[in-house]
Amino acid sequence: NHGSMDIHPRLNRGATRVVFASNRHGGYDLFTMNADGGGQNRLIDHPGDDVFPAWSPDGSRIAFQSYRDSQPQIYAVNADGSGLARLTYHGDYDGQPAWSPDGRQIAFVRRESGGYRIWAMNADGSNQRQLSSQPYSADPAWSPDGSRIVYDADGNGDGWQEIWLMNADGSNQRQVYDP
């Protein structure tokens, strides 16, 4: 026990490596390790919190949410810690990145106009576009074939999240489960 919190663990596609956020050195930094817990390495050391990491499908890049520029934004870095790139430049919250199965797109959550919605962009940060229309949308995840995105949203404004599904282009949004 090192008196810290290790959060947001994600396995790479081959289930051999894990990326996670840890506050063992103060703020949250990204670490990688072997799936057996060995070979831990601090990927990024920065005073701003880095959280919600996500592996690219080929395991070469990691997208994540960072508070290094006051408002959370999305960054990506090579799996060895080199090649850090900021992908979003929004004046409010951008977070919870999720790679498409082909590695060409990243879905994410953006706060804008009093709500959180699912957006997508190319893996280099270009072509940012809103997908979901429900306020308080979160937790995007791609289908294995990349044709759909599942997410949770408060679709009827009652303060409760339901499960929603849409096509990857944002069309055909429909609630699939209401607890």
Side-chain angles (χ1 to χ4, degrees), residues 7 32 35 56 70 75 85 93 101 103 110 113 126 147-149 151:
I7 59 173
T32 57
S56 63
S70 137
Y75 286 75
Y93 179 96
R110 171 169 282 175
S113 303
S126 64
S147 67
R148 297 190 212 175
I149 298 172
Y151 58 104

Side-chain angles (χ1 to χ4, degrees), residues 97-144:
W99 291 87
S100 64
D102 64 8
R104 295 186 308 163
Q105 297 184 74
I106 298 172
F108 64 99
V109 175
R110 171 169 282 175
R111 181 171 53 205
E112 193 168 69
S113 303
Y116 294 83
R117 291 177 178 79
I118 306 301
W119 283 59
M121 63 182 160
N122 294 344
D124 64 1
S126 64
N127 193 26
Q128 295 180 16
R129 61 221 178 266
Q130 181 179 330
L131 299 180
S132 72
S133 57
Q134 303 78 25
Y136 308 107
S137 300
D139 302 316
W142 294 83
S143 63

Side-chain angles (χ1 to χ4, degrees), residues 18-77:
V18 177
V19 63
F20 61 98
S22 178
N23 68 352
R24 64 183 67 172
H25 297 293
Y28 283 97
D29 293 320
L30 296 184
F31 288 77
T32 57
M33 68 178 173
N34 298 331
D36 66 5
Q40 290 193 19
N41 179 49
R42 186 189 225 173
L43 190 65
I44 297 176
D45 179 8
H46 189 274
D49 289 339
D50 296 329
V51 292
F52 290 107
W55 290 100
S56 63
D58 67 4
S60 66
R61 305 266 300 151
I62 298 167
F64 61 97
Q65 171 182 320
S66 180
Y67 289 81
R68 64 187 61 214
D69 297 305
S70 137
Q71 289 294 331
Q73 298 297 303
I74 304 214
Y75 286 75
V77 66

Side-chain angles (χ1 to χ4, degrees), residues 83-96:
L84 180 68
R86 183 173 174 177
L87 301 181
T88 61
Y89 291 85
H90 181 58
D92 207 333
Y93 179 96
D94 280 346
Q96 302 177 25

